[in-house]
Amino acid sequence: VFISQYAAGQKEALRAVLKQKTQTTPVRKEVKVQLLGNTSTRKKESVGPDTSSAHGEVDSATTIAAATAAAIATTAPLLKVQNDLETKVNSVSTLLHKLQETDRQMQRVAEQQTNMKTQHEKPHCHERVTELEKQMNAFMMQRIQHLEKLQEQQMNIQ
């Protein structure tokens, strides 16, 4: 974080100093806080023993400005990332709800198909059972008739 204060004629000198500093040390992000104003008029206003307190107020304001600028510079990317992440989470949440609803619908359809199959199978089973009962009755009648014939033959033999 570079903090600079300059009068109207000192701007170019400050740029040269800052350019040298940035060339020698790599900085990932640079935040410049500049208090613009005529420093010579401030010095003229603060005459006598109050000079140190006025200078302290300027340093305090500069420090606050630097801290605010640094806080803004560091939190802005984090806020952007947080906002992007919230957007993605909301998107995933929406997709998850859609998938859950689709899954519920698929389960309902599967249950309906199962119910329809069992309903179709029941009449078919009943028909088959009825048909088998008729065949069994016919066989029983044939068996009874055969046994009656055998009994009749045995009686004739005796």
Side-chain angles (χ1 to χ4, degrees):
V1 176
F2 292 103
I3 303 170
S4 60
Q5 181 177 1
Y6 56 88
Q10 298 173 340
K11 189 174 182 179
E12 293 302 320
L14 178 68
R15 280 192 182 165
V17 170
L18 288 176
K19 191 172 185 181
Q20 287 176 353
K21 283 186 179 181
T22 57
Q23 288 176 351
T24 58
T25 58
V27 177
R28 291 185 77 167
K29 187 157 194 159
E30 182 177 317
V31 178
K32 294 181 182 180
V33 178
Q34 299 172 344
L35 298 176
L36 300 177
N38 193 348
T39 55
S40 61
T41 57
R42 284 189 188 158
K43 288 181 183 176
K44 289 177 186 175
E45 289 172 1
S46 58
V47 177
D50 293 295
T51 306
S52 62
S53 67
H55 190 269
E57 289 176 12
V58 170
D59 285 345
S60 175
T62 304
T63 305
I64 291 170
T68 304
I72 290 171
T74 56
T75 57
L78 294 175
L79 291 175
K80 184 182 183 320
V81 168
Q82 180 184 5
N83 193 16
D84 291 345
L85 192 60
E86 285 177 359
T87 303
K88 288 178 183 178
V89 166
N90 288 337
S91 173
V92 168
S93 177
T94 303
L95 289 173
L96 180 63
H97 287 299
K98 286 180 182 178
L99 283 173
Q100 287 174 340
E101 185 59 33
T102 303
D103 186 46
R104 286 188 205 115
Q105 290 175 355
M106 293 297 287
Q107 286 177 350
R108 286 186 208 128
V109 168
E111 288 174 6
Q112 288 175 352
Q113 287 178 349
T114 305
N115 290 339
M116 289 178 66
K117 283 182 182 178
T118 55
Q119 288 175 359
H120 287 302
E121 288 175 2
K122 284 182 181 177
H124 180 68
C125 289
H126 287 299
E127 290 174 8
R128 182 75 175 141
V129 168
T130 306
E131 184 182 323
L132 289 173
E133 285 177 349
K134 287 179 185 177
Q135 287 178 358
M136 199 149 145
N137 284 336
F139 287 131
M140 289 291 281
M141 291 302 288
Q142 286 178 356
R143 178 79 174 168
I144 290 173
Q145 286 175 357
H146 180 69
L147 288 174
E148 284 177 353
K149 282 183 185 178
L150 284 175
Q151 188 179 13
E152 190 179 317
Q153 285 175 357
Q154 219 175 19
M155 293 289 276
N156 285 338
I157 292 174
Q158 286 180 350

